[in-house]
Amino acid sequence: MPRQARGEVLDSSQVQVVHCIQRCVRRAFLCGDDPLTGNSYEHRRAWIRDRLEFLASVFAIDCLTFSVMHNHIHLVLRSRADVVAAWSDEEVARRWLRLFPRRRNEDGSPAVPSKPELDMILNQPEVLAERRRRLSDISWWMRCTAENIARRSNAEDEVRGHFWEGRYHAQVLLDEASLLVCAAYVDLNPIRAALAETPETSDYTGAKDRIDDLSEREDRGRPSTHDWERSRRRRRSGWMSPIEIDEQIDEVGPAVESSGRRASSKGFLSVSMARYLELLDWTGRQLRSDKVGSIPEHLQPILQRIGLDTHGWCDVVRKFGRIFKRAAGTPESLAGEARRRGQGWLCARENPLGFSSV
C-alpha cells in the first residue's frame, strides 16, 4: 500500500510533535566507520549535528531531542505555527535568506541580506506567505537537512547519486506518554545498538549534549582562574527545547526566546531534566543488561502517570520502532488522529504501554 501524502499527515499550520527517521541509501555506513572498507565517515555525524543546530536558529520548529547514528538519524521535532505567526514580515524574509542566501561571505556563511534582496520577498505577498508557511513546516526542515548533507558527502566522495534511501519516515506523537517513550527511545539508540554503555558516552544525542551542560555547570562552581572563559562558552544543548514544561507557569502562546538559537523556550515534558536523565540512565542499564532491576521510588510516579510498570516501560522503549508505525498514542488519541486524516483505521493491536499501534 502506498504511503500517505505528507500533507495528509503533517499540517504546518498546527502545532504537532513528530518523530522523524532518515536512513542512508542501502543502509550503508556513510556516517560512521564502515566495517567492510575500513573507511571512517565519523566526521559526518558532526556535520549533521551542526546542521540541525543551524536549522533550529532559523525555523519556527523546536528540536526536542535527536540521535545521529552511523547509517540513520532520529529527530523529535515540534512545529510552531504560533511562533512563525508572531514574526514580522521582515523577520520572515531575513530568516529565509539565512537559509537560502543570495550571497555568501568568504568563509561560506550567509551574508547579511541587502534591502533589495529583502524587498524581493516583502513586495510579493504570495511569496512571503509561502515562505512563512515553510518556516514552520517539518518537511522543509528535513529537506534542508538531507540535501545539505548529501551534497557535502557526495562532493567529499567525488560521486553523484542518492545519499539518503528515500523520503523520511514521519510518526506523529499524540500525547505526553508517547512523547516520553519516544524521547527515551531516541536518546537510547546508541545504547541499544551497543555503541555506548551509558547516556553520557552516547555521542551525537540530545541527552549527551544536556549531560555535558550539567557537567559544565558543576565545573563552574569550582574555584578556577579560567571561570571567565567558561562563562563565554555557549551551552551545547541551548539550541534544543528545554525538557521541563509547567503549564501553570508558562505563558500561553509563543514563548520569548532571546538567544536566537531556537524557536522558543517551551519545554515538552512535565518532569525536570534531572529526573528525565535519571530515568534515561536507569532504562539504558536495563536495556544493556537485558533485565529489569529496581527503579528509584521518586521516579515511579512518572511511569504511573502513563499507566506502566517497569517491565512494560523497558519493553516499549526497546521495541518502539516496531510497535508504532504511522502514529503513537493512547486509543483515544489515535481515534482522533484517524478522524483528522479522514481514515477509518483505529487500534490494530495492544502493546505494553497500554496504547494501540497503527
Side-chain angles (χ1 to χ4, degrees), residues 27-288:
R27 299 192 179 185
F29 285 80
L30 302 183
C31 300
D33 295 323
D34 191 336
L36 297 179
T37 65
N39 295 331
S40 175
Y41 304 99
E42 188 72 9
H43 58 283
R44 293 179 183 170
R45 298 173 71 193
W47 289 358
I48 295 173
R49 186 213 169 275
D50 292 344
R51 183 63 177 176
L52 297 177
E53 182 172 355
F54 169 73
L55 295 179
S57 70
V58 177
F59 278 86
I61 294 174
D62 294 325
C63 181
L64 308 189
T65 193
F66 73 99
S67 179
V68 183
M69 305 297 286
H70 288 163
N71 60 5
H72 65 284
I73 60 175
H74 290 269
L75 290 169
V76 182
L77 303 174
R78 177 174 58 192
S79 58
R80 296 300 303 273
D82 55 335
V83 170
V84 75
W87 289 344
S88 66
D89 291 346
E90 184 173 340
E91 178 72 11
V92 170
R94 287 187 179 277
R95 286 177 179 263
W96 186 259
L97 290 173
R98 279 190 65 203
L99 196 60
F100 298 103
R102 301 280 183 173
R103 296 172 293 107
R104 291 188 178 273
N105 300 318
E106 292 184 0
D107 62 357
S109 61
V112 176
S114 63
K115 189 177 186 303
E117 290 170 346
L118 292 172
D119 289 342
M120 287 284 291
I121 298 176
L122 296 174
N123 294 338
Q124 301 183 71
E126 292 183 359
V127 172
L128 178 63
E130 180 64 16
R131 301 295 184 261
R132 186 183 294 274
R133 184 194 66 79
R134 289 178 178 179
L135 286 174
S136 66
D137 190 331
I138 288 176
S139 289
W140 270 88
W141 170 299
M142 296 301 295
R143 172 180 177 174
C144 292
T145 301
E147 183 175 354
N148 177 269
I149 301 304
R151 288 181 181 275
R152 293 181 67 180
S153 300
N154 284 353
E156 182 180 57
D157 293 338
E158 298 182 345
V159 299
R160 293 190 300 176
H162 292 288
F163 182 84
W164 307 101
E165 70 175 10
R167 72 173 184 170
Y168 72 98
H169 174 67
Q171 185 180 58
V172 180
L173 306 177
L174 303 175
D175 43 50
E176 185 183 13
S178 59
L179 176 52
L180 175 61
V181 176
C182 184
Y185 170 78
V186 170
D187 281 328
L188 291 174
N189 249 257
I191 294 177
R192 292 176 49 252
L195 299 177
E197 293 185 349
T198 60
E200 59 267 28
T201 60
S202 302
D203 293 329
Y204 303 108
T205 64
K208 176 66 162 58
D209 280 5
R210 298 184 198 276
I211 292 171
D212 286 347
D213 287 339
L214 288 177
S215 300
E216 177 71 13
R217 188 182 307 171
E218 291 176 359
D219 287 343
R220 289 180 184 177
R222 302 169 185 169
S224 173
T225 57
H226 300 287
D227 283 345
W228 64 272
E229 183 177 353
R230 289 199 186 99
S231 66
R232 296 174 61 186
R233 297 176 187 169
R234 298 198 303 177
R235 292 186 300 125
R236 286 187 59 80
S237 65
W239 59 279
M240 292 186 293
S241 173
I243 287 180
E244 186 172 13
I245 185 172
D246 191 329
E247 297 291 355
Q248 296 181 343
I249 298 177
D250 289 344
E251 58 185 296
V252 178
V256 177
E257 175 53 44
S258 59
S259 71
R261 299 179 66 196
R262 58 191 181 191
S264 76
S265 57
K266 288 284 189 183
F268 59 98
L269 293 174
S270 58
V271 297
S272 68
M273 180 169 69
R275 291 290 181 261
Y276 171 74
L277 293 177
E278 190 171 353
L279 177 62
L280 204 64
D281 180 71
W282 177 87
T283 306
R285 296 176 189 276
Q286 313 316 309
L287 296 181
R288 287 305 306 276

Side-chain angles (χ1 to χ4, degrees), residues 329-341:
T330 63
E332 294 77 13
S333 298
L334 288 170
E337 178 68 5
R339 289 193 296 271
R340 185 187 73 82
R341 300 191 196 183

